[in-house]
Amino acid sequence: MDQLHDELEKYRNNPKFQKLVQHIDALSDRSLKAREELERMVNVSNELKMQSQNQEKEILLVEEDQRKTRDEVDSLKTKLQFLLAEKEAVEQRLENLRQENSKLETFIQVSWLMLACAIRV
């Protein structure tokens, strides 16, 4: 780039090349500005790419957490179903024991009455 400016200086004062030198200067400035803008765009693009990669990693972590949570919920559902079935079985057993207890109490009362009657006789 400096070499170009050195060459242009040779022709700057020559009226034949003055307009051409002005165009080259203008194009050189535009080219420099375009290069700077391109570098900024590349930097922004790299930053966005890095952010995107970080977000993808975050998404993967969130998806893994969701999968673990779903598995845990499914496990808890299974345990809950088992406990509810066990509760029903225990309640049924309790009801059976109450009925058996009621029969035994009736049997004991009848036995006491028969014993009382036997003693009177």
Side-chain angles (χ1 to χ4, degrees), residues 50-72:
M50 203 164 66
Q51 288 176 2
S52 175
Q53 289 171 344
N54 289 338
Q55 288 176 346
E56 285 176 5
K57 289 176 186 175
E58 229 177 284
I59 287 170
L60 291 175
L61 290 173
V62 167
E63 286 174 345
E64 179 64 20
D65 283 347
Q66 284 178 337
R67 187 192 59 75
K68 286 179 182 178
T69 302
R70 269 190 232 110
D71 291 347
E72 197 173 314

Side-chain angles (χ1 to χ4, degrees), residues 1 12 14 42 56 61-62 72-73 94 97 104 111:
M1 194 70 148
R12 196 172 298 278
N14 188 334
V42 166
E56 285 176 5
L61 290 173
V62 167
E72 197 173 314
V73 166
L94 180 61
L97 289 173
L104 289 173
S111 295

Side-chain angles (χ1 to χ4, degrees), residues 8-56:
L8 287 176
E9 285 302 318
K10 292 179 188 176
Y11 299 104
R12 196 172 298 278
N13 295 327
N14 188 334
K16 289 182 184 178
F17 298 108
Q18 206 167 23
K19 194 136 183 130
L20 180 62
V21 169
Q22 288 174 351
H23 285 298
I24 291 173
D25 278 340
L27 288 173
S28 178
D29 287 344
R30 286 175 55 192
S31 176
L32 181 64
K33 289 177 184 175
R35 173 177 282 207
E36 290 170 354
E37 185 64 26
L38 180 61
E39 286 175 0
R40 279 194 294 271
M41 290 170 68
V42 166
N43 289 336
V44 167
S45 181
N46 287 337
E47 287 176 23
L48 290 172
K49 188 176 187 178
M50 203 164 66
Q51 288 176 2
S52 175
Q53 289 171 344
N54 289 338
Q55 288 176 346
E56 285 176 5

